[in-house]
């Protein structure tokens, strides 16, 4: 089964893809973008997401200039600030929901 489309449309919803707004900020440097299923839900954040974040953090520990883009969600943010305040303050860039940043 093939789709032949004459205009650009999303194959999932068959609507044109949304136009992103202009970035609200421009970031420079090296970044890890981390997103997870149900980020901010206490249970999923602690037993599903934090182990992956800890693994990625360990894999990039050789380069302290690498920053992490994380969704600014209160519960997840509170957990990360509690466990590693230095990491949260110096290596995390908190991105608000629906914020567009350019790297």
């Amino acid at each position: 089964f093939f789709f032949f489309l004459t205009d650009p449309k999303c194959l999932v919803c068959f609507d044109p893809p949304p136009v992103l707004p202009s970035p609200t900020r421009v970031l420079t440097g090296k970044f890890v973008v981390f997103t997870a299923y149900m980020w901010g839900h206490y249970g999923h954040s602690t037993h599903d997401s934090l182990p992956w974040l800890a693994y990625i953090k360990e894999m990039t520990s050789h380069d302290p200039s690498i920053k992490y883009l994380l969704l600014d969600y209160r519960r997840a943010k509170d957990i990360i600030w509690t466990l590693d305040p230095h990491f949260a303050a110096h290596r995390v860039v908190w991105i608000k929901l629906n914020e567009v940043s350019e790297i």
Side-chain angles (χ1 to χ4, degrees), residues 52-66:
W52 281 111
L53 184 59
Y55 173 75
I56 294 168
K57 185 180 161 202
E58 180 63 28
M59 299 309 300
T60 59
S61 63
H62 66 281
D63 188 349
S65 70
I66 295 174

Side-chain angles (χ1 to χ4, degrees), residues 5 7-19:
L5 302 174
D7 34 293
K9 296 198 182 235
C10 169
L11 290 179
V12 174
C13 57
F14 293 101
D15 287 327
V19 176

Side-chain angles (χ1 to χ4, degrees), residues 29-57:
K30 301 176 196 174
F31 293 93
V32 170
V33 178
F34 182 81
T35 185
Y37 176 71
M38 295 188 76
W39 180 249
H41 180 274
Y42 183 80
H44 288 286
S45 290
T46 53
H47 65 74
D48 294 336
S49 305
L50 279 180
W52 281 111
L53 184 59
Y55 173 75
I56 294 168
K57 185 180 161 202

